[in-house]
Amino acid sequence: MAACRAQPPTSEQAWLEAAQTFIQETLCPAGKEQSKELTRSVIDCVKETWLSQGENQDLTLPFSYSFVSVQNLKTHQRLPCCSHLSWSQSAYQAWTRGGGPGDGVLPREQLILLGTLVDLLGELEQECKSGSLYVRDNTGTLDCELIDLDLSWLGHLFLFPSWSYLPSAKRNSLGEGHLELWGTPVPVFPLTVSPGPLIPIPVLYPEKASYLLRYRKKSSIKEINLAGKLVHLSALIITQNKRYFIMTLGELAQAGSQVSIIVQIPAQMVWHRVLRPGRAYVLTKLQITKTRIHRSCIWTTIPSSTLMPLRPGYVQELELDLEFSKADLKPLPRPTGSKDSRGQEGLVRASKVLHYLGTVTGVLHESAGLYILDGQLILCLAYQKTHGLRRVIRPGVCLELRDVHLLQAVGGATTKPVLALCLHGTIRLQGFSCLKPLTLPSSKVYGASLYEQLVWKCQLGLPLYLWASKTLEDLIYKLCPHVLRCHQFLKQPSPGKPSLGLQLLAPSWDVLIPPGSPIRHAYSEILEEPHNCPLQKYTPLQTPYSFPTILALAEEGQHRAWATFDPKALLPLPEASHLTSCQLNRRLAWSWVCLPSCVFQPAQVLLGVLVASSHKGCLELRDLRGSLPCIPLTESSQPLIDPNLIGCLVRVEKFQLVVEREVRSTFPSWEELGMASFIQKKQARVYVQFYLADALILPVPRPTFGSEPSQSASSCPEGLHLGQSRLFLVSHKEALMKRNFCLLPGDSSQPAKPTLSFHVSGTWLCATQRKEGSGWSPPESLAVESKDQKVFLIFLGSSVRWFPFLYPNQVYRLVAPGPSTPVFETEGSSGTSRRPLELADCESCLTVQEEWTLELGSSQDIPNVLEIPRALPESSLAQLLSDNSPNSLVSFSAEILSRILCEPPLALRRIKPGNAGAIKTGVKLTVALEMDDCEYPPHLDIYIEDPQLPPQIGLLPGARVLFSRLEKRISRSNIVYCCFRSSTSVQVLSFPPETKASAPLPHIYLAELLQGDRPPFQATTSCHIVYVLSLQILWVCAHCTSICPQGKCSRQDSSCPSQRAISQANIRLLVEDGTAEATVICRNHLVARALGLSPSEWSSILQHARVPGRVALQFTGLGAQTESASKTHEPLTLLLRTLCTGPFVLRPIKLSFALERRPTDISPREPSRLQQFQCGELPLLTRVNPRLRLVCLSLQEPELPNPPQASAASS
């Protein structure tokens, strides 16, 4: 405090001289000489107050204290402090103990403060009075708060013996510093006591005043004096152009008539600080006025009206010159049922109105007007405009609340009861706090105007307001300060420019705000009986939604994904019981979970800044806590192609959170699937998918964090006005993968290593254009005119961030900031310096620099260019499934049916360095081709291996994808498949549906499979089993698949670690349906269905087959003998042979099947053959089609037709 006051003088003479100087400069009226009377009165006042302690009899003057002016406090006192001239040290210590432990108590300074108590700031007009109080001296004016005020104090000079000063905080949005005046000020000069009126004041009491208000036309009285007891005082109403309050007076002796008075004269606003409910007052010169809303009459003050306490003998009741009966003296009915109020149907709970006296123990949210009372209640001041009082409220402040609403169990994550004040109630300060103000974060200090708008414009009820306040705080936690500053997020809305915080909450207002919410009017809220306000009734709120952090959402997705990871559910019985250890672990190695936004309770709203990652080459949503890869799509299956959306804020309510799970496991067999100890490693990849139609995209007022790198043109001022650009049309984009690049000569400080990069081939559409203001100049002339200038662009390093925006048949503008040196016409130098390329079809090869930016070309940029085709070229089905042109590049769109980890085809296997026996794992996609001329789309396998691993996000079963430039391959068994290459690009066209109903297989005749080029790959048919061709039951080792007689591996060496055996079975049947015949192979559990055995019977047969380890039967034809690899005399063999030739097997069935010959099999079809049949004694020779080969998917007994109804007996 040394900066605030001079060093106190050490002698009485020096102290008196300093006091005289201070009084002359600070307290004497300007332009007048120093008054000895003023000096003597001030010193006597200080001395008397100082000696009132009782502990300072030795010192008649406070030599340790120095005088302080208002200007010195405002200029030099930077920390909160207090001064108590009349307190002893023990009294101060007792006072500080009331603040509790810690160092938060206001420090005591030895300062003497004097000033004039006024209710007008500066020399303003009387109309500018607002009810605020100030301490004024010659150096300035300072806001103050006083617990008890007497109107006679205004305009008089006081010594303030006990006071606190709280300077303005830099981050505080509530104004300058202020004084808190403890106790009663000591007048420097004795206050003049009013002797009272010479004759009693004629007054009316509320009963007759109400009658006069009702029958005002019958009386000539236009102005009255009113006396009564104050029974109610409203809040001080603050509107844009005026302030007012309403007070209600009642009878003195007993409850009876009440009359309301509206006070709206600016000079009388200070009355609101003086009035105390329960005390009696006299108001003079009242007139009648009409309210705006109800158009009803009410008494009002005029500028010459006065307020005084009611004292016996000062008043005399006025006799009216009107006759009236007792019925006329009934209380005047108060306004009821505002016509503008909407229904209350949805409100189910009523609040309680009560009086409460409590102490503030915490500050929840200063700007939102939320505090903690007595550690148990929440106090909400948002429904009153009490900005002046809020600066005082902090822990330790004692408050009296009158007519406050108590709301319990409001919901919306609020567990404590809430006390909330409407305009009908009042809040009064009963005691200041001895604690220093809390240092609050910006999120709880800024944005008072925004929270006012939630209450006064958006008309939010209390439960929804509490939730909105908490939600805005969560949003600030997510986005500030790196995305934008807190005051920008909570800035005051302006016409046409709503606050960013409101824009994020507003999309759900129509759903959250009930249609019965009452419209708020101040007059109605104060005067209506029964009382009606937004706090009167309420509905407990279920939290509508929340804005989790990106990190929290990703962690929640992973938690749910691993909580639902169950190997037994992924591989259900009986399928799993026939899989080897390798097959089991391969099937479990990759799985995925799609969590639609509707599964989260409460609903989760995705919010983040859209950024482009140069490390992953994908789009991400980011906040302060983390980032999440994302795939945004338009409804027309188009990707996001506008780079200008980088840095925008994205809000999405409907989305899909995808978790791809990868597991490394060593399950020996299906019996151990429930044992988690066999899982060696788990990892997950989380990302989100959404459609732009479901997203709200908002620009933020400044560049966001995470822009990699800065996309501004230049850091220098003149660089902002310099730059060049060139338009180009993308013809193809290659895969994003790690590639090798040559180092420049002399750049050998770092070893060469593969770099994440991609290539784009395209065509320049015009020459270089220069920056002109906010636009671009006409294209410059080229040295060599060329209609088609092909270019090969290399993106690596930070420029990889443009990968998600570049797509074929789109026009882009490549922008290079900085000086005017040509950068786009350099042919080959920048590209070949890092990667020597021989590009016969391209005239230039260019490496995109890190500081270059990308913009989407507009139609105005290319007026002379022919219409650009938007459809991407795709290969025909004939080209895909032909045996010519292997190793060619093909493009097509398809729906992904399945995705598994597998070993790549033999032609794709690569040996790891240093491990000759190892084979890298790849990804196999099975897709259904989308061909317009094909009713039954064929299925095709696509393989992905290093360096294209891991695959691009979004390649999920059920997704529609456009594959460009895949390499078409033909296996040794003449099966067509495709492989990813460096030239391959992928574009997701649509996401997997949240609910997908499986379409039933078509029901056909077998002969239909012989007709047409593209029969259905899977179908159902009703047929008859003619006979069994073969049957085989095996018990094999789960690890090495060797035969296991008696359940033990038959390998001679001990290299097989497994002690598990699994059963495998297959049966081949000959079926026909009257149109054609086919051989059908059934495997594993379907063998039991084919043999017509129950699960227990089939299990018994498998256990008997466990002893030899292999049972095989071969039937040569209908009625022919059995050829068996097993001993034919064994009981099991005899049983199976009898069963296979019996009527329980040779029966009608309903068969669901798949073609054994895949649609991608391009091997020559088996021709028809001549076959001789015997018809009686006549042999017939005819040409017979080859038998169809089918794989059984399911086998069911046919549905028996309903028996015909018996005909009615003839009469």
Side-chain angles (χ1 to χ4, degrees):
M1 187 58 198
C4 180
R5 59 181 173 91
Q7 189 70 22
T10 57
S11 65
E12 180 176 350
Q13 183 64 30
W15 190 91
L16 291 174
E17 291 177 357
Q20 292 175 0
T21 303
F22 173 81
I23 294 170
Q24 171 66 30
E25 295 176 353
T26 308
L27 302 179
C28 283
K32 293 185 179 182
E33 295 182 0
Q34 183 174 1
S35 170
K36 293 182 179 180
E37 181 184 1
L38 173 62
T39 303
R40 183 174 59 255
S41 298
V42 169
I43 293 176
D44 289 345
C45 183
V46 171
K47 181 187 299 185
E48 181 181 354
T49 304
W50 167 252
L51 294 177
S52 66
Q53 297 182 23
E55 298 181 359
N56 300 308
Q57 304 302 323
D58 296 337
L59 297 175
T60 58
L61 290 174
F63 295 139
S64 60
Y65 281 74
S66 60
F67 293 88
V68 64
S69 67
V70 168
Q71 183 62 33
N72 278 340
L73 274 180
K74 295 170 65 174
T75 305
H76 301 296
Q77 183 62 38
R78 303 299 176 86
L79 298 175
C81 68
C82 67
S83 179
H84 301 285
L85 180 64
S86 61
W87 286 16
S88 64
Q89 185 63 26
S90 58
Y92 171 74
Q93 291 175 355
W95 177 71
T96 58
R97 284 195 294 270
D103 56 353
V105 178
L106 287 168
R108 185 177 185 179
E109 298 287 348
Q110 295 178 322
L111 299 172
I112 300 174
L113 177 66
L114 295 102
T116 304
L117 194 63
V118 297
D119 63 342
L120 183 64
L121 183 63
E123 302 296 332
L124 300 176
E125 298 294 333
Q126 291 290 320
E127 289 74 11
C128 298
K129 291 186 176 181
S130 61
S132 300
L133 289 179
Y134 307 93
V135 171
R136 184 172 65 195
D137 61 15
N138 293 345
T139 64
T141 305
L142 191 59
D143 286 316
C144 71
E145 291 291 339
L146 190 65
I147 295 177
D148 288 311
L149 174 67
D150 192 314
L151 290 178
S152 63
W153 296 352
L154 295 177
H156 292 276
L157 180 63
F158 286 93
L159 166 69
F160 302 104
S162 297
W163 51 271
S164 305
Y165 175 69
L166 285 85
S168 60
K170 292 181 179 180
R171 300 171 64 186
N172 196 329
S173 63
L174 302 181
E176 295 183 348
H178 68 279
L179 285 168
E180 295 176 353
L181 305 180
W182 296 68
T184 303
V186 179
V188 173
F189 299 101
L191 299 178
T192 303
V193 179
S194 175
L198 297 177
I199 58 174
I201 301 174
V203 298
L204 290 179
Y205 289 98
E207 185 178 42
K208 292 185 179 179
S210 298
Y211 172 81
L212 184 61
L213 194 63
R214 187 188 307 180
Y215 298 103
R216 57 192 177 279
K217 294 183 180 179
K218 296 181 180 182
S219 174
S220 60
I221 299 177
K222 302 300 181 183
E223 191 173 279
I224 67 167
N225 303 321
L226 182 62
K229 182 173 65 175
L230 183 64
V231 295
H232 179 260
L233 179 66
S234 78
L236 182 63
I237 312 301
I238 303 172
T239 61
Q240 292 182 349
N241 45 7
K242 70 175 184 178
R243 299 184 177 208
Y244 63 93
F245 64 90
I246 298 175
M247 56 187 295
T248 302
L249 297 182
E251 296 294 336
L252 296 178
Q254 58 185 2
S257 296
Q258 297 180 2
V259 63
S260 297
I261 306 100
I262 182 171
V263 181
Q264 47 191 352
I265 305 301
Q268 298 167 0
M269 291 300 102
V270 74
W271 293 4
H272 196 268
R273 294 175 172 270
V274 177
L275 293 167
R276 293 290 184 272
R279 299 182 185 178
Y281 297 94
V282 175
L283 287 90
T284 65
K285 298 182 180 181
L286 300 183
Q287 295 181 357
I288 297 175
T289 187
K290 284 187 176 182
T291 60
R292 292 183 305 159
I293 304 300
H294 295 280
R295 308 303 300 170
S296 58
C297 293
I298 189 174
W299 292 106
T300 183
T301 61
I302 61 176
S304 58
S305 298
T306 59
L307 170 72
M308 64 184 72
L310 176 60
R311 296 186 177 95
Y314 282 15
V315 297
Q316 179 182 358
E317 185 174 2
L318 178 68
E319 295 295 334
L320 295 178
D321 57 351
L322 297 175
E323 294 184 1
F324 49 87
S325 62
K326 291 185 178 181
D328 294 332
L329 291 178
K330 290 181 179 179
L332 186 67
R334 298 172 70 85
T336 59
S338 173
K339 296 181 181 180
D340 292 332
S341 295
R342 294 176 286 198
Q344 305 285 324
E345 297 84 357
L347 306 179
V348 296
R349 291 195 181 186
S351 62
K352 297 179 181 179
V353 179
L354 46 83
H355 303 326
Y356 187 85
L357 181 66
T359 302
V360 177
T361 55
V363 179
L364 280 181
H365 202 300
E366 184 176 308
S367 296
L370 299 175
Y371 306 89
I372 298 293
L373 281 181
D374 298 327
Q376 298 177 346
L377 300 170
I378 295 176
L379 172 62
C380 177
L381 302 180
Y383 291 82
Q384 285 190 2
K385 296 184 178 180
T386 55
H387 299 309
L389 188 60
R390 287 193 200 179
R391 64 187 177 184
V392 179
I393 299 178
R394 62 185 185 276
V397 169
C398 184
L399 299 174
E400 180 190 6
L401 307 171
R402 300 189 65 86
D403 298 314
V404 63
H405 291 267
L406 173 65
L407 298 87
Q408 299 182 359
V410 296
T414 302
T415 57
K416 294 182 179 180
V418 182
L419 291 174
L421 281 164
C422 67
L423 299 179
H424 185 72
T426 53
I427 178 173
R428 190 163 298 280
L429 195 62
Q430 293 296 329
F432 292 111
S433 172
C434 62
L435 300 177
K436 293 185 289 187
L438 300 175
T439 301
L440 299 175
S442 300
S443 60
K444 297 185 178 182
V445 175
Y446 291 113
S449 60
L450 172 62
Y451 292 100
E452 281 186 10
Q453 189 173 15
L454 293 177
V455 173
W456 299 94
K457 183 177 180 180
C458 300
Q459 300 285 327
L460 298 190
L462 180 65
L464 192 55
Y465 175 76
L466 294 176
W467 169 83
S469 302
K470 179 64 170 62
T471 303
L472 285 173
E473 189 175 349
D474 293 340
L475 291 176
I476 293 172
Y477 176 78
K478 281 174 60 69
L479 302 175
C480 300
H482 297 302
V483 177
L484 70 168
R485 300 302 178 190
C486 185
H487 69 275
Q488 292 176 317
F489 183 79
L490 297 175
K491 69 177 181 180
Q492 182 174 1
S494 58
K497 292 183 179 181
S499 165
L500 184 59
L502 273 186
Q503 291 184 71
L504 296 176
L505 293 180
S508 301
W509 277 166
D510 295 338
V511 178
L512 298 178
I513 300 178
S517 300
I519 299 175
R520 208 169 176 204
H521 298 298
Y523 289 98
S524 304
E525 199 165 308
I526 297 172
L527 297 175
E528 272 188 6
E529 289 293 344
H531 176 59
N532 182 25
C533 73
L535 305 174
Q536 184 66 23
K537 292 186 178 181
Y538 64 98
T539 302
L541 179 70
Q542 297 292 333
T543 303
Y545 55 81
S546 63
F547 291 87
T549 63
I550 295 293
L551 179 61
L553 185 64
E555 290 177 347
E556 173 69 11
Q558 288 198 54
H559 173 74
R560 289 180 176 237
W562 291 119
T564 57
F565 178 74
D566 183 7
K568 291 184 177 180
L570 294 174
L571 297 174
L573 293 174
E575 178 189 5
S577 61
H578 307 291
L579 297 178
T580 65
S581 174
C582 180
Q583 292 172 330
L584 276 174
N585 295 307
R586 287 280 189 187
R587 295 279 190 93
L588 296 174
W590 183 89
S591 59
W592 68 292
V593 174
C594 181
L595 299 172
S597 52
C598 60
V599 305
F600 297 98
Q601 293 297 331
Q604 308 281 294
V605 177
L606 184 64
L607 180 69
V609 178
L610 189 69
V611 297
S613 171
S614 62
H615 303 292
K616 300 178 182 178
C618 65
L619 293 176
E620 292 182 341
L621 286 178
R622 247 181 233 182
D623 61 13
L624 296 188
R625 311 302 165 208
S627 61
L628 194 62
C630 66
I631 307 178
L633 284 184
T634 64
E635 290 292 346
S636 58
S637 300
Q638 293 299 318
L640 193 65
I641 59 175
D642 189 0
N644 288 329
L645 294 180
I646 290 181
C648 289
L649 200 59
V650 179
R651 179 191 187 275
V652 190
E653 290 189 28
K654 186 178 180 182
F655 58 88
Q656 293 179 345
L657 186 66
V658 179
V659 184
E660 295 184 13
R661 302 175 297 205
E662 292 189 12
V663 173
R664 184 185 301 170
S665 59
T666 57
F667 290 105
S669 69
W670 64 275
E671 296 179 358
E672 291 81 15
L673 287 180
M675 303 172 64
S677 59
F678 289 100
I679 298 178
Q680 298 178 332
K681 183 180 179 182
K682 296 192 300 185
Q683 62 183 22
R685 182 166 67 162
V686 187
Y687 53 93
V688 67
Q689 304 178 147
F690 59 89
Y691 288 100
L692 291 177
D694 300 323
L696 175 65
I697 301 178
L698 301 172
V700 293
R702 66 178 183 85
T704 64
F705 74 103
S707 298
E708 303 175 6
S710 173
Q711 297 176 17
S712 58
S714 177
S715 58
C716 55
E718 59 272 11
L720 297 175
H721 308 286
L722 299 177
Q724 53 187 303
S725 69
R726 197 168 183 184
L727 289 169
F728 68 98
L729 171 66
V730 175
S731 58
H732 179 68
K733 176 180 71 172
E734 295 191 359
L736 179 67
M737 53 183 286
K738 289 188 176 182
R739 292 176 169 86
N740 292 319
F741 287 89
C742 294
L743 294 175
L744 290 172
D747 190 15
S748 58
S749 57
Q750 296 181 353
K753 59 181 180 180
T755 304
L756 189 67
S757 64
F758 70 97
H759 302 156
V760 167
S761 56
T763 304
W764 293 123
L765 297 181
C766 62
T768 299
Q769 296 175 274
R770 303 290 174 178
K771 191 71 174 179
E772 287 186 354
S774 59
W776 298 98
S777 67
E780 299 176 352
S781 59
L782 295 174
V784 179
E785 290 294 335
S786 174
K787 185 178 181 180
D788 259 344
Q789 281 193 317
K790 294 185 178 180
V791 63
F792 190 81
L793 300 176
I794 302 174
F795 294 79
L796 71 161
S798 294
S799 63
V800 167
R801 67 186 185 275
W802 304 118
F803 180 81
F805 297 101
L806 288 163
Y807 286 92
N809 291 350
Q810 299 290 343
V811 176
Y812 299 90
R813 180 183 294 277
L814 196 59
V815 180
S820 57
T821 305
V823 294
F824 301 125
E825 282 74 20
T826 305
E827 298 183 5
S829 61
S830 61
T832 55
S833 62
R834 288 195 174 269
R835 181 188 179 194
L837 294 173
E838 303 255 346
L839 300 172
D841 293 337
C842 295
E843 295 187 10
S844 62
C845 175
L846 200 61
T847 299
V848 177
Q849 304 301 312
E850 295 183 358
E851 66 274 10
W852 294 2
T853 59
L854 197 69
E855 298 176 2
L856 184 65
S858 62
S859 57
Q860 292 81 6
D861 295 331
I862 46 175
N864 299 324
V865 178
L866 297 177
E867 182 65 24
I868 298 172
R870 295 302 178 187
L872 299 177
E874 297 187 16
S875 305
S876 65
L877 187 61
Q879 180 183 356
L880 277 172
L881 302 182
S882 62
D883 57 355
N884 55 1
S885 65
N887 303 330
S888 60
L889 299 179
V890 294
S891 302
F892 54 83
S893 57
E895 177 185 351
I896 299 178
L897 302 177
S898 65
R899 170 177 167 176
I900 61 172
L901 294 185
C902 66
E903 294 181 2
L906 187 60
L908 297 179
R909 294 187 181 181
R910 300 290 185 267
I911 304 302
K912 292 182 180 180
N915 190 356
I919 299 175
K920 286 191 175 181
T921 301
V923 174
K924 174 185 173 183
L925 303 177
T926 300
V927 302
L929 301 176
E930 294 183 351
M931 299 294 175
D932 295 335
D933 56 347
C934 185
E935 182 179 1
Y936 303 106
H939 298 179
L940 182 71
D941 291 336
I942 301 175
Y943 293 89
I944 311 173
E945 62 168 349
D946 276 339
Q948 283 84 14
L949 292 178
Q952 176 180 324
I953 60 175
L955 300 184
L956 302 172
R960 293 179 54 250
V961 181
L962 174 63
F963 298 94
S964 297
R965 295 199 178 185
L966 290 168
E967 183 182 8
K968 170 187 169 183
R969 304 297 297 269
I970 301 176
S971 68
R972 287 178 292 183
S973 55
N974 289 321
I975 303 295
V976 175
Y977 63 93
C978 291
C979 301
F980 270 56
R981 286 291 174 257
S982 61
S983 61
T984 302
S985 63
V986 174
Q987 176 182 334
V988 177
L989 301 177
S990 66
F991 305 134
E994 294 183 6
T995 56
K996 182 178 181 181
S998 56
L1001 297 177
H1003 192 281
I1004 64 172
Y1005 292 105
L1006 292 178
E1008 296 180 43
L1009 299 175
L1010 301 172
Q1011 302 170 0
D1013 294 334
R1014 303 296 170 197
F1017 179 59
Q1018 297 179 348
T1020 62
T1021 187
S1022 298
C1023 58
H1024 187 278
I1025 300 178
V1026 179
Y1027 61 87
V1028 177
L1029 295 174
S1030 64
L1031 171 64
Q1032 182 175 242
I1033 302 175
L1034 300 173
W1035 281 89
V1036 298
C1037 175
H1039 179 74
C1040 66
T1041 68
S1042 301
I1043 299 296
C1044 293
Q1046 297 184 350
K1048 296 182 180 180
C1049 183
S1050 60
R1051 293 186 63 168
Q1052 299 299 324
D1053 53 18
S1054 59
S1055 61
C1056 180
S1058 177
Q1059 300 296 324
R1060 297 289 184 181
I1062 59 172
S1063 63
Q1064 294 180 346
N1066 63 76
I1067 187 172
R1068 289 179 62 86
L1069 308 173
L1070 179 66
V1071 301
E1072 59 87 20
D1073 66 346
T1075 65
E1077 62 180 12
T1079 60
V1080 181
I1081 183 169
C1082 304
R1083 294 187 175 90
N1084 299 322
H1085 64 281
L1086 293 176
V1087 175
R1089 300 297 301 273
L1091 296 178
L1093 299 176
S1094 65
S1096 59
E1097 292 171 340
W1098 176 243
S1099 177
S1100 177
I1101 289 178
L1102 290 178
Q1103 291 304 319
H1104 282 84
R1106 187 183 182 94
V1107 176
R1110 179 174 182 267
V1111 177
L1113 299 177
Q1114 189 77 26
F1115 299 88
T1116 57
L1118 186 60
Q1121 296 296 320
T1122 303
E1123 295 181 1
S1124 175
S1126 307
K1127 298 180 180 179
T1128 58
H1129 61 277
E1130 291 185 354
L1132 180 59
T1133 304
L1134 295 174
L1135 172 64
L1136 293 175
R1137 184 179 61 187
T1138 304
L1139 191 62
C1140 291
T1141 57
F1144 288 102
V1145 175
L1146 310 180
R1147 68 192 189 281
I1149 59 171
K1150 183 178 180 181
L1151 178 69
S1152 297
F1153 63 87
L1155 294 175
E1156 187 176 358
R1157 177 190 175 97
R1158 304 181 56 181
T1160 53
D1161 189 346
I1162 58 174
S1163 58
R1165 293 184 177 273
E1166 184 181 350
S1168 58
R1169 68 182 189 278
L1170 288 174
Q1171 184 171 347
Q1172 182 175 343
F1173 294 90
Q1174 193 72 25
C1175 183
E1177 298 180 356
L1178 184 63
L1180 295 177
L1181 188 65
T1182 184
R1183 187 168 293 277
V1184 177
N1185 287 320
R1187 288 177 178 171
L1188 296 167
R1189 291 179 295 176
L1190 310 177
V1191 177
C1192 177
L1193 301 178
S1194 69
L1195 189 146
Q1196 301 174 355
E1197 303 301 325
E1199 298 178 0
L1200 298 178
N1202 294 327
Q1205 298 292 334
S1207 59
S1210 58
S1211 58

